[in-house]
């Protein structure tokens, strides 16, 4: 999706990814300031703003972490600009401190926080339900279900936020961020009317005395918004009868397909909720009052279910309410299959029999793997050579988390972004065992540096290996503060990683991990020392280097000698370029990136030869 | 109205998502409502890439086991792994060529033979078409067009709710100009593979 996302005129229909649609919606809502920390499944929203940012009517940054993104964005909204801040669900935990007070302080320019949740843990360490943050922080909440709604709700959330001068949560899930569907776009707005900042410390500075007043204002505001939720065009009722269903977010899709395929559309009552907080209490109460029994269909936590049960009790509505405790799971994603079984059980029908093919259970697995030519593979190999199983390996969030797989098995525990140094330090202090912590460059800037400062301050005995591949690779090669190059060219202000570490009180050692001899020597030396130590293993991600035109052309490696004599290299590196052809070990020239690491490990493997002319 | 759930499976880097988007555009241009789903992130690091295209008015972009009218398999092992998604009487159109997962290369696991895939699908699927997509794509000019060979085979055997010609028009309309010719060739070679298997 190129510039047409900016240029498409009202009424045009584009085939958009949910995340691209969110970007267009925010633009239609007049967004002028966008901050983020990338994280799957949210990343294509900021990536779209980044790609379109030259000459565009907004400021954009990949902030150093989610807390900073929300604080920078919060500042922009205080200054009067319509603002979008994006992150994945666990990123909101990082930003939770400013978030919990943001709605007290308010956001005069308008601020939408996108929280991209990940039911089913497709690319995350947990599947927390961030609708609860809307309740905790006091933010109205929208839950889109289609690409079109992604666009429309992003716009309307921003317009609502600007009108009420309070932050709004746009909560998506993986299947919505990564849905692709037709989107009819609306008009791009003219520059919004200015909202110049007028100093008013009692309104904007939450000292205890003013915070108490702010909390009263916020609760009153949210109570007032119930009428807005009741009337929201995103809360739609259909059908007839005395059996009801209430669904929100992506669950609306599964339920609609099941009702249609099973011939139930129109014969039951359906309340679909797109604006879910504040709860549209009167609308739901009316709906409950017209039903004998209601099934509530929502993924993850029984958020609506709990609130609706309470509402029925408070209003004295005699209706049977079913949901998580009866028919639907609290874990993982829904599908038409499990929603169908829930609908049938709720209606007292026998379970549907699904006719499927069985395949052998022992098929070869295809787990994600470090790419061919990935410098992390070389770093892990060298660390393993020095420490083997004697060290405990503390891991972090990034491509390099894949080092937990054999043959490296270089991850013994992991909590969250930036945790490897501090958790490793605590483990080392408690156990006395050697600890090696792995962390990427982006993750170090994100929140690893505070762990390093702590390790220095308390002399924790830990070897920190910063796997610096000069980009944020896992989420799609976004720039971070230390990079030299972005897709737009050189970074004018790179943060000096080595100087930063030095300033924290450690003299770092830098190696090119693809130079095995040097890396091994540095690691051997560091393994004999104590206290906090830092090895920076720096080599660019080959995919990123190709994308920015900095990759050196190298020929693939080849097995030139005895293939049996170099099988240990195959077993110890497990590079995706390795293959067994008719039972003989070889290197696939198409797959090989030419990193030449394996060449250093066996005399049987040689650099490729130029083809004879 | 034609309704169809199409399940795509392959390995990261094979162009599965590009093929999905191309079919989605073709379906939209043919006047069908579409919704499509993909998963990004960790799956792309050499892992399995699955995507979906639902044509004709479905709201959900997810396909559950037993629901797929069509499985488009860009890699043989992944086609086999995806067979439980197929509904009885659906189509399987797959690449008969393989990409070894690391466990197979390391000799820890055995790659299933083509015959096993055909054996399992036979009698359940209405039609199973397997074509050597990578070889045919190389014949067209680049191995990268293997995804288009597969689409050609799928359209030619009637698995898709639109014609081979409609797909050719989409290639001309939506691919970069320098990629059009090789992909049209790849499309034709895929269609030809179906004709050859019918003649056999």
């Amino acid at each position: 999706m190129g510039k047409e996302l900016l240029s498409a005129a009202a009424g045009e229909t584009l085939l958009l990814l949910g995340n691209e649609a969110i970007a267009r919606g925010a633009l239609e809502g007049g967004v002028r300031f966008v901050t983020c920390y990338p994280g799957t499944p949210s990343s294509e929203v900021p990536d779209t703003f980044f790609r379109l940012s030259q000459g565009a009517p907004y400021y954009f940054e990949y902030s150093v972490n989610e807390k900073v993104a929300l604080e920078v964005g919060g500042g922009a909204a205080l200054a009067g600009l319509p603002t979008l801040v994006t992150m994945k669900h666990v990123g909101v935990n990082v930003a939770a401190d400013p978030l919990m007070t943001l709605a007290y302080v308010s956001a005069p320019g308008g601020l939408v926080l996108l929280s991209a949740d990940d039911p089913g843990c497709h690319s995350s360490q947990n599947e927390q339900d961030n609708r609860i943050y809307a309740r905790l922080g006091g933010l109205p909440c929208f839950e889109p279900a289609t690409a079109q709604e992604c666009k429309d709700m992003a716009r309307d959330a921003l317009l609502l936020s600007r009108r009420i001068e309070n932050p709004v949560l746009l909560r998506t899930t993986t299947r919505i961020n990564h849905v692709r569907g037709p989107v009819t776009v609306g008009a791009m707005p003219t520059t919004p009317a200015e909202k110049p900042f007028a100093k008013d410390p009692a309104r904007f500075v939450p000292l205890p005395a003013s915070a108490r007043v702010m909390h009263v204002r916020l609760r009153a505001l949210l109570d007032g918004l119930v009428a807005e939720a009741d009337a929201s065009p995103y809360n739609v009722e259909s059908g007839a009868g005395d059996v009801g269903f209430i669904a929100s977010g992506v669950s609306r899709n599964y339920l609609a397909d099941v009702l249609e395929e099973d011939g139930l559309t129109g014969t039951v009552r359906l309340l679909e909720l797109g604006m879910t907080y504040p709860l549209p209490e009167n609308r739901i109460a009316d709906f409950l009052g017209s039903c004998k029994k209601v099934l509530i269909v929502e993924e993850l936590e029984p958020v609506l279910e709990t609130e609706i049960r309470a509402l029925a009790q408070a209003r004295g509505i005699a209706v049977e309410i079913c949901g998580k405790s009866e028919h639907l799971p609290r874990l993982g994603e829904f599908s038409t299959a499990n929603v169908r079984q829930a609908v049938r059980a709720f209606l007292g029908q026998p379970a549907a029999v699904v006719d499927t093919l069985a395949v052998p259970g022992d098929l070869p697995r295809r787990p994600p793997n470090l790419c061919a030519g990935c410098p992390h593979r070389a770093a892990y190999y060298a660390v393993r050579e020095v420490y083997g199983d004697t060290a405990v390996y503390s891991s972090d969030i990034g491509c390099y988390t894949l080092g937990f797989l054999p043959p490296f098995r270089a991850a013994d525990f992991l909590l969250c972004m930036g945790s490897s140094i501090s958790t490793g330090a605590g483990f080392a202090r408690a156990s006395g065992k050697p600890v090696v912590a792995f962390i990427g460059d982006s993750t170090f800037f994100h929140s690893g540096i505070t762990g390093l400062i702590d390790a220095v301050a308390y002399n924790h005995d830990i070897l920190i290996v910063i796997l610096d591949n000069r980009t944020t690779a896992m989420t799609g090669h976004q720039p971070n503060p230390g990079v030299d190059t972005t897709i737009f060219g050189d970074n004018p202000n790179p943060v000096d990683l080595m100087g930063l570490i030095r300033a924290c009180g450690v003299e770092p050692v830098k190696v090119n991990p693809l130079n095995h001899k040097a890396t091994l020597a540095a690691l051997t030396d560091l393994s004999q020392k104590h206290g906090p130590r830092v090895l920076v293993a720096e080599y660019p991600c080959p995919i990123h280097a190709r994308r920015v035109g900095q990759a050196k052309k190298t020929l693939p490696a080849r097995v030139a000698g005895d293939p049996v004599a170099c099988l240990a290299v195959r077993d110890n590196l497990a590079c995706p370029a390795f293959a067994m052809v008719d039972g003989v070990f070889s290197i696939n020239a198409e797959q090989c990136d030419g990193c030449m690491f394996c060449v250093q490990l066996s005399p049987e493997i040689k650099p490729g030869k130029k083809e004879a002319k | 109205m034609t309704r169809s759930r199409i399940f795509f499976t392959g390995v990261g880097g094979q162009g599965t998502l590009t093929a999905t988007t191309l079919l989605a555009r073709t379906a939209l241009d043919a006047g069908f409502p579409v919704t499509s789903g993909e998963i990004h992130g960790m799956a792309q690091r050499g892992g399995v890439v699955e995507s979906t295209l639902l044509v004709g008015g479905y709201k959900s972009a997810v396909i559950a086991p037993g629901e797929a009218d069509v499985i488009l398999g860009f890699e043989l092992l992944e086609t086999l792994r995806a067979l439980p998604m197929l509904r009885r009487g659906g189509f399987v159109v797959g690449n008969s060529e393989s990409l070894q997962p690391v466990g197979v290369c390391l000799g820890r696991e055995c790659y299933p033979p083509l015959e096993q895939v055909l054996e399992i699908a036979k009698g359940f699927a209405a039609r199973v078409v397997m074509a050597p997509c990578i070889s045919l794509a190389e014949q067209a000019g680049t191995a990268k067009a293997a995804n288009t060979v597969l689409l050609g085979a799928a359209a030619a055997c009637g698995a898709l709710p639109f014609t081979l010609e409609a797909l050719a028009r989409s290639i001309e309309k939506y691919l970069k100009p320098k990629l059009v010719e090789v992909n049209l060739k790849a499309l034709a070679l895929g269609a030809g593979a179906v004709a050859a298997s019918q003649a056999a």
Side-chain angles (χ1 to χ4, degrees), chain A residues 44 180 336 355 366 369, chain B residues 36 40 45 67 78 88:
Chain A
E44 296 82 8
R180 194 180 285 278
T336 46
D355 186 16
R366 198 185 295 274
N369 188 0
Chain B
S36 171
H40 300 184
R45 299 286 176 263
E67 284 187 347
E78 298 319 319
R88 187 175 286 279

Side-chain angles (χ1 to χ4, degrees), chain A residues 40-124:
Chain A
T40 311
S42 76
S43 302
E44 296 82 8
V45 180
D47 289 355
T48 300
F49 280 107
F50 178 52
R51 210 174 53 248
L52 302 174
S53 59
Q54 287 178 324
Y58 53 82
Y59 168 80
F60 172 81
E61 71 172 44
Y62 287 109
S63 303
V64 74
N65 66 27
E66 293 87 351
K67 177 175 186 287
V68 172
L70 188 58
E71 289 161 351
V72 171
L78 281 164
L81 290 189
T83 299
L84 176 69
V85 182
T86 76
M87 56 196 64
K88 67 183 295 178
H89 61 316
V90 288
V92 179
N93 302 332
V94 179
D97 198 0
L99 182 62
M100 287 309 108
T101 311
L102 189 65
Y104 279 32
V105 170
S106 81
L111 185 147
V112 169
L113 172 62
L114 168 68
S115 165
D117 295 8
D118 190 16
C121 299
H122 290 282
S123 54
S124 309

